[in-house]
Amino acid sequence: MKRKFILILIFCILLIPTQISSSVAYVQNSKIDTLNDFKEEINRLYTTNAKLTPESPEIKLLVEKTNPVVIKKFLDEKFNILELHLIQNSSILKSQTINLGDNCYLKIDICYPSVNYSPCASTPGVQTLWKDYGDRKFTSTFEGFLAVASFDLNICNHYTLSSSGISPRYVEAWGRGSGVINVSHGTIYEPKRYASVGETVSANCIFTLNGSASILQYQKSFKMYNYIKYSEIDTVDKQVKVVQSWRGDWL
C-alpha cells in the first residue's frame, strides 16, 4: 500500500509542471482578435511607459499575438483620421502635433530657414523668404506615429540662386519606417528644373508604405511634390525672393 501511494505521489509531481507549462503556453499563444481589445492593450502599454516605440519588445510581442486583420483595421482607421484632418485643416502654418487617438499622432514642425515640415494637403503651407545668392536647399517632410508603426517621408531640393534664376543641382528623397511598416520610394521626377523670375522649379516622388512581410500584408502610396518659385530679385543686395511649398496625395 505504501509503495502504491509513493507511485501515485510521483505521478502527480510529474504531472504538475506539464499542466503549468500548458497553461503558460496557452497565455503566450492567445490571440487578440478584436479592435477594441487591441486598443485597450496599446493604451495600457503606452500609459505604463510613454517611452515605448514600435521597436520596443513589448510592442513587438503585442503585434505577434494580434490577428493581422485587427492591425490592418487599426492602421486604416488612423490613416483615415489623418487624411480627414489634413483636408479640413489645409491652411496650417505653425508647428503642432495632431492627436489621432490611441497614442498615435501626426507631427507637423515648421522650421526656418532651410527645412520645412508642413501639413500634407491640397492647399499646403507656404514659405516666402529672401535668400542670398548661392547654394540653397528646401526639404519637405511628412511624419507619422501609429503606435505599432512610425514613418517619415522626405524630399530635399538642392539648388543655386543667382541673377540668372534658380539653377538645379540635385534632388534627393528618403524615407524611414519602423515597427510593422517599411518605407521605399520610386524614381524622383523633375518636370521643371530651371526657373527665371515668375517661374517655379519642381520635383516629385512616390513613397510606398509596406507592411512587414512576415507580419502584415499592407500598402499605402503617397506622392510628394516639392516646389520653389523664383518670385523677385534684388540685384543690389544680391538676393532672390523664393516661395517654397509642398503638397502630397494618397494614391
Side-chain angles (χ1 to χ4, degrees):
M1 183 72 178
K2 184 176 181 182
R3 177 183 175 86
K4 184 177 180 181
F5 175 76
I6 292 173
L7 289 174
I8 293 173
L9 181 62
I10 292 173
F11 176 77
C12 290
I13 292 172
L14 292 173
L15 182 63
I16 289 173
T18 302
Q19 291 176 329
I20 293 174
S21 176
S22 298
S23 176
V24 170
Y26 174 77
V27 172
Q28 289 178 338
N29 295 326
S30 62
K31 284 284 186 179
I32 294 177
D33 287 314
T34 72
L35 186 57
N36 285 338
D37 288 345
F38 180 70
K39 287 183 177 181
E40 286 181 6
E41 189 63 11
I42 279 289
N43 287 307
R44 184 188 70 79
L45 288 172
Y46 277 97
T47 299
T48 303
N49 184 358
K51 294 183 179 180
L52 290 178
T53 73
E55 295 294 335
S56 297
E58 298 92 331
I59 302 301
K60 287 185 175 181
L61 179 61
L62 173 61
V63 169
E64 289 175 3
K65 69 178 186 178
T66 300
N67 188 325
V69 174
V70 173
I71 297 177
K72 183 179 183 301
K73 288 180 179 178
F74 180 79
L75 293 177
D76 281 339
E77 177 186 293
K78 299 311 170 189
F79 276 117
N80 289 338
I81 295 172
L82 184 157
E83 292 175 43
L84 180 61
H85 191 287
L86 293 178
I87 290 171
Q88 294 176 341
N89 299 273
S90 60
S91 60
I92 299 172
L93 293 175
K94 62 181 181 179
S95 300
Q96 67 170 266
T97 298
I98 299 171
N99 184 0
L100 303 176
D102 303 304
N103 290 279
C104 301
Y105 61 83
L106 173 72
K107 187 177 181 181
I108 297 171
D109 187 13
I110 299 176
C111 179
Y112 298 94
S114 60
V115 179
N116 177 40
Y117 295 83
S118 64
C120 152
S122 57
T123 308
V126 175
Q127 284 183 329
T128 300
L129 303 167
W130 280 100
K131 292 191 174 188
D132 295 333
Y133 289 178
D135 293 343
R136 300 288 177 258
K137 66 180 180 179
F138 170 50
T139 304
S140 50
T141 297
F142 184 63
E143 179 182 350
F145 185 90
L146 304 177
V148 293
S150 63
F151 64 90
D152 64 82
L153 318 176
N154 311 267
I155 290 183
C156 184
N157 205 332
H158 297 257
Y159 60 94
T160 300
L161 296 176
S162 69
S163 58
S164 300
I166 300 177
S167 301
R169 287 187 289 132
Y170 61 97
V171 181
E172 57 183 335
W174 69 95
R176 288 180 291 266
S178 69
V180 299
I181 291 292
N182 297 318
V183 172
S184 61
H185 69 80
T187 303
I188 301 171
Y189 292 96
E190 305 170 44
K192 179 66 174 174
R193 293 299 298 141
Y194 174 81
S196 56
V197 176
E199 295 181 333
T200 301
V201 298
S202 64
N204 65 78
C205 182
I206 295 177
F207 292 86
T208 303
L209 284 65
N210 285 303
S212 301
S214 60
I215 302 171
L216 179 69
Q217 296 295 319
Y218 194 81
Q219 187 175 91
K220 296 282 287 186
S221 294
F222 183 71
K223 189 172 185 178
M224 287 181 67
Y225 301 82
N226 182 298
Y227 304 101
I228 306 165
K229 181 179 179 180
Y230 189 159
S231 180
E232 297 179 37
I233 186 169
D234 183 340
T235 55
V236 175
D237 292 330
K238 295 184 178 180
Q239 289 186 324
V240 174
K241 186 178 183 180
V242 297
V243 180
Q244 300 180 150
S245 64
W246 75 283
R247 56 180 271 265
D249 300 311
W250 293 103
L251 304 179

